[in-house]
Amino acid sequence: MVALLALSLTSCDWATFHSGPSRAGWQSSESTIGLENVSQLTQVRSYPGAFTPPVVVGGVLYSLTGGGILQAFDAKGVGCTDPPTVCSPLWTSSGQAGRSITVDKGKVYAAGISGLQVYDASGCGSSPKVCAPLWTTGTFANIGPGSPAVVNGVVYVTGLRSTLPTPGNAYVIAYDANGSENCIGTVCSPLWRSTAAPTDVLYSQALAVANGLVYAVEESRVVAFDVNGCSGSPCSPVWRASAPSSLAYGGPAVGNGTLFVAGYGGKLYAYDAAGTDGCSASTKTCSPLWSASVGDTRNTPAVANGIVYVTNVSGGLRAFDATGCTGSTNVCAPLWTFHPPNATGTAVTGSPAGANGVVYTVAPDSTFYALEAAGSIGCSGTPKTCSPQWSTNPGKSSTDASPAIVDGTVYWNSGTVSTTWAYKL
């Protein structure tokens, strides 16, 4: 019974950007909020200083301030004033922790310009509770701002720029997640690193890990590496893909054996995540299985239940059959679309996410929307367009908001005003 309880609790977490290491952006365990009641969502709390997308694990909300300070809040409202319901942190980090976070097995991994720093997720015993890291990467400060991925005892991060010293110029850098192997005291060195990236590439997007591979997006292509590294160092890609156009703003998401990435010339591309279909056996260079026009896109797609969702900078949400389409061109039309009534404002960089038949997205005027994920309810016309089931505007600039759905609560963030809002029924 204890084991089953532990499983049920952890399965409801949102442990990193876009939910998990595959970056699918979907909460499979949500059962409280659904189509029948999503219109009843209302703001119940706000958490100040939150610059990064929300991460919620074990009833604790973790975020980083604009200055890189790690904060831990009670997600149920302990330590909050009422009214207005504004929450104070349970504990904070002693200094700059990073630009993105991931929580795994009782540890918080913070990555960014200060390297990788790892904290006890339960905080520390000091008063006031200002906590020091358990271990770090020391003076190495070349880790990219994309959220770390922690899988099977290894934490994966990206290099920041290829112009910085090794291993900062790597696509992927891997460390022992326990802070034991390749560590002297509390300072750790990489287990392995990948080959150098092209000149002047900033890895601002999170890595995705699935199918025994770790995926990174650089200026003109996707690269995939074996999660176990290689016998020598640096490691070469298992496969790579070149898109017709360069400059990828979006991060990778993996679902049902397919890797999705958007932003190449206003396109969504789908690749065989294993690097087999559409790939050269000799060079392991892969072509897209299919593509679609989505417009200028600067975020990570969400994928679940055979559908992939993409929001562009104008707030247009498009839903596609994740298996692609028929035809000689392999250029697919959306199953349905959503166009916000006010598409003017700040470019949307927040990623869509969903749970229990509902997909959530944000518009340029900072309005949050919830739509029926299958494209049946509130939809009409040819091509099919859909209307939202719920919307709200917090009155703050929040077009970078990427939602997290945990235990009957939807969390939205705004790095612009450094706030996370919690919505419940």
Side-chain angles (χ1 to χ4, degrees), residues 17-108:
F17 166 71
H18 234 35
S19 182
S22 69
R23 312 297 176 186
W26 210 264
Q27 174 62 270
S28 59
S29 300
E30 176 61 33
S31 59
T32 301
I33 305 170
L35 291 172
E36 71 283 357
N37 57 18
V38 68
S39 62
Q40 300 170 30
L41 285 177
T42 186
Q43 183 182 321
V44 292
R45 287 183 294 277
S46 66
Y47 301 89
F51 182 80
T52 53
V55 168
V56 184
V57 176
V60 179
L61 168 69
Y62 301 91
S63 66
L64 290 161
T65 68
I69 302 299
L70 176 63
Q71 302 181 116
F73 297 89
D74 187 290
K76 301 296 184 182
V78 173
C80 305
T81 62
D82 188 22
T85 310
V86 179
C87 303
S88 299
L90 302 172
W91 59 270
T92 65
S93 65
S94 55
Q96 187 181 71
R99 306 300 291 170
S100 62
I101 50 178
T102 293
V103 179
D104 184 78
K105 293 181 173 59
K107 295 183 178 65
V108 183

Side-chain angles (χ1 to χ4, degrees), residues 26-401:
W26 210 264
Q27 174 62 270
S28 59
S29 300
E30 176 61 33
S31 59
T32 301
I33 305 170
L35 291 172
E36 71 283 357
N37 57 18
V38 68
S39 62
Q40 300 170 30
L41 285 177
T42 186
Q43 183 182 321
V44 292
R45 287 183 294 277
S46 66
Y47 301 89
F51 182 80
T52 53
V55 168
V56 184
V57 176
V60 179
L61 168 69
Y62 301 91
S63 66
L64 290 161
T65 68
I69 302 299
L70 176 63
Q71 302 181 116
F73 297 89
D74 187 290
K76 301 296 184 182
V78 173
C80 305
T81 62
D82 188 22
T85 310
V86 179
C87 303
S88 299
L90 302 172
W91 59 270
T92 65
S93 65
S94 55
Q96 187 181 71
R99 306 300 291 170
S100 62
I101 50 178
T102 293
V103 179
D104 184 78
K105 293 181 173 59
K107 295 183 178 65
V108 183
Y109 299 83
I113 58 176
S114 298
L116 179 66
Q117 298 192 30
V118 183
Y119 295 80
D120 187 331
S122 62
C124 53
S126 60
S127 182
K129 289 197 172 184
V130 179
C131 304
L134 300 174
W135 62 269
T136 74
T137 53
T139 57
F140 170 52
N142 299 349
I143 289 175
S147 294
V150 186
V151 178
N152 295 331
V154 179
V155 53
Y156 303 92
V157 295
T158 58
L160 182 56
R161 282 191 184 274
S162 61
T163 55
L164 296 178
T166 300
N169 60 350
Y171 290 107
V172 176
I173 309 165
Y175 294 89
D176 174 24
N178 295 316
S180 300
E181 190 173 349
N182 281 11
C183 300
I184 299 176
T186 59
V187 180
C188 297
S189 299
L191 299 175
W192 61 269
R193 66 179 179 88
S194 68
T195 50
T199 302
D200 200 30
V201 172
L202 175 63
Y203 291 99
S204 59
Q205 301 294 346
L207 298 166
V209 180
N211 314 305
L213 296 174
V214 51
Y215 307 91
V217 172
E218 53 101 3
E219 186 179 73
S220 61
R221 62 187 174 188
V222 176
V223 284
F225 299 89
D226 190 314
V227 293
N228 298 313
C230 56
S231 57
S233 187
C235 300
S236 298
V238 173
W239 67 265
R240 66 188 75 204
S242 295
S245 301
S246 63
L247 202 58
Y249 289 109
V254 183
N256 299 325
T258 305
L259 182 142
F260 302 94
V261 62
Y264 292 119
K267 299 283 188 179
L268 169 69
Y269 286 94
Y271 296 93
D272 176 19
T276 302
D277 291 346
C279 305
S280 165
S282 57
T283 64
K284 279 297 181 179
T285 301
C286 299
S287 299
L289 300 176
W290 58 271
S291 66
S293 295
V294 293
D296 185 6
T297 301
R298 306 179 188 181
N299 54 40
T300 301
V303 55
N305 305 314
I307 299 178
V308 56
Y309 306 87
V310 182
T311 300
N312 61 29
V313 295
S314 299
L317 177 67
R318 289 169 169 80
F320 297 88
D321 185 333
T323 62
C325 54
T326 58
S328 58
T329 62
N330 286 333
V331 177
C332 301
L335 299 173
W336 60 268
T337 62
F338 163 67
H339 305 282
N342 186 358
T344 60
T346 306
V348 171
T349 57
S351 299
N356 197 23
V358 181
V359 60
Y360 302 87
T361 189
V362 65
D365 66 347
S366 300
T367 299
F368 302 147
Y369 290 100
L371 296 102
E372 196 260 329
S376 298
I377 299 175
C379 305
S380 62
T382 305
K384 185 186 292 185
T385 60
C386 298
S387 299
Q389 303 299 300
W390 170 84
S391 67
T392 189
N393 191 313
K396 307 284 186 177
S397 178
S398 51
T399 56
D400 57 347

